[in-house]
Amino acid sequence: MNDRFRFGAKENMQKGSIYVPGLVVAILATLAATYVSDHYGAPLTLMCLLFGLSMSFLADDKRLEPGLTIASRTLLRWGIVLVATRITFSQILQLGPAALLAVIAIVAITLGSGVFLARRLGFTAAFGALCGGAVAICGASAAMAFSSLLGERRTSQAQLTLVLVGISAMSALAMTVYPILARHLHLSDVQAGFLLGASIHDVAQALGAGYSFSQAAGENAAIVKLTRVALLAPAMMVVAIFLPKDPDAKVTSPILPWFVIGFFGLAAVNSFGLIPPVLAEGSSKTAGALLACAVTATGIRSNMKSLTQNGLKPLLVIVITTLIALGLSILAAKFLIPG
């Protein structure tokens, strides 16, 4: 009995060891990207992506493949689940019916526009969902989540990397330009907070833009942005149900992946106050670390030649859907949100 246990433990250790080299490379590159981000104020997602792409030549090393794969998939999915610790249903209800319906409409129209534009430009509906979901919900985190849902047979690593590059660039630009636009439109703090929270891609940039406008705008932007994050799981559910499945897939996947169900469940638990604040904060930071590592691993696994084979055309989907989200957010802020 003891011999069988020791043999099983040794076998498990040997199986686990194949993941170590790739995970070590992804973690070290992520730590380097984090250092640059912290010391120079650059967006963390963009730094992780650039560090990963600079090391993409390592993707040919078969010893690294298992670890890089688990970093870009499994760590990503657990990161998505832990994102739910940032959300409570009471935060969403604070918006009020009109603002909440406006946010839902903006997310739905932006996501649908991504699919429509991608098809019109000659790309797949899956690529459109990837772009539209990233713009509509929470930038790079949503892009990674939708990519995991759709699978690499429908959205390649090169497509995901291209979306991450476009989203990071547009989000950084929006953080700078949108507060100026809000002042030019003579929006109140509440209206500006709604506009910035409803239209800027990544969470950090949305909050940065909000608090650069005013304290009140920042607080409102945080609520609106977290409401968009909360819509990640419902949006993924809709895509999973309505987007055509891959006809060549050998394995039938469930309609709702486990990490989407986990997102719903953890958000519900957090909404009832069952997660201590310290643990929730730790889980939120862990989610950020896992997602950053997943972005880095995705960059390393990307084929640089595939990134440029369609030129800048794929980025048009991101640019146009960004403008659609901005236009809808301005209309909602002006006409639905009390000054």
Side-chain angles (χ1 to χ4, degrees), residues 307-333:
L307 280 176
T308 57
Q309 66 182 6
N310 290 313
L312 297 176
K313 190 177 176 182
L315 295 177
L316 280 176
V317 183
I318 296 173
V319 173
I320 296 173
T321 49
T322 295
L323 294 175
I324 289 172
L326 174 61
L328 293 171
S329 299
I330 290 173
L331 290 174

Side-chain angles (χ1 to χ4, degrees), residues 19-29:
Y19 301 111
V20 172
L23 282 173
V24 168
V25 168
I27 291 170
L28 290 177

Side-chain angles (χ1 to χ4, degrees), residues 21-47:
L23 282 173
V24 168
V25 168
I27 291 170
L28 290 177
T30 303
L31 290 173
T34 303
Y35 178 86
V36 172
S37 175
D38 288 344
H39 283 74
Y40 297 98
L44 177 58
T45 299
L46 182 59
M47 289 300 98

Side-chain angles (χ1 to χ4, degrees), residues 117-135:
L117 289 167
R119 297 297 297 270
R120 294 289 292 178
L121 292 171
F123 301 106
T124 64
F127 179 71
L130 187 66
C131 295
V135 173

Side-chain angles (χ1 to χ4, degrees), residues 200-269:
I200 296 179
H201 312 72
D202 285 315
V203 174
Q205 279 78 5
L207 299 188
Y211 282 105
S212 72
F213 190 93
S214 72
Q215 179 75 22
E219 292 171 357
N220 199 47
I223 297 171
V224 174
K225 185 60 191 177
L226 289 176
T227 301
R228 287 170 65 196
V229 174
L231 293 175
L232 174 63
M236 292 176 68
M237 181 170 59
V238 171
V239 169
I241 292 172
F242 290 102
L243 203 66
K245 302 295 187 295
D246 182 1
D248 298 325
K250 296 179 181 180
V251 179
T252 302
S253 57
I255 291 177
L256 276 184
W258 67 265
F259 57 91
V260 178
I261 298 172
F263 182 98
F264 272 125
L266 194 58
V269 170

Side-chain angles (χ1 to χ4, degrees), residues 145-300:
F146 276 94
S147 175
S148 184
L149 172 72
L150 295 165
E152 291 186 23
R153 296 179 67 90
R154 291 190 283 176
T155 54
S156 67
Q157 288 290 301
Q159 287 179 324
L160 172 59
T161 302
L162 194 63
V163 171
L164 291 174
V165 170
I167 283 292
S168 297
M170 293 302 294
S171 189
L173 180 64
M175 181 179 66
T176 304
V177 174
Y178 287 12
I180 299 172
L181 178 61
R183 293 192 187 280
H184 181 73
L185 293 172
H186 305 292
L187 299 182
S188 68
D189 289 342
V190 175
Q191 290 172 326
F194 179 90
L195 168 62
L196 300 172
S199 58
I200 296 179
H201 312 72
D202 285 315
V203 174
Q205 279 78 5
L207 299 188
Y211 282 105
S212 72
F213 190 93
S214 72
Q215 179 75 22
E219 292 171 357
N220 199 47
I223 297 171
V224 174
K225 185 60 191 177
L226 289 176
T227 301
R228 287 170 65 196
V229 174
L231 293 175
L232 174 63
M236 292 176 68
M237 181 170 59
V238 171
V239 169
I241 292 172
F242 290 102
L243 203 66
K245 302 295 187 295
D246 182 1
D248 298 325
K250 296 179 181 180
V251 179
T252 302
S253 57
I255 291 177
L256 276 184
W258 67 265
F259 57 91
V260 178
I261 298 172
F263 182 98
F264 272 125
L266 194 58
V269 170
N270 193 40
S271 296
F272 286 107
L274 300 178
I275 301 178
V278 174
L279 183 58
E281 184 179 354
S283 297
S284 180
K285 290 180 179 178
T286 301
L290 293 177
L291 292 173
C293 190
V295 170
T296 304
T298 297
I300 297 173

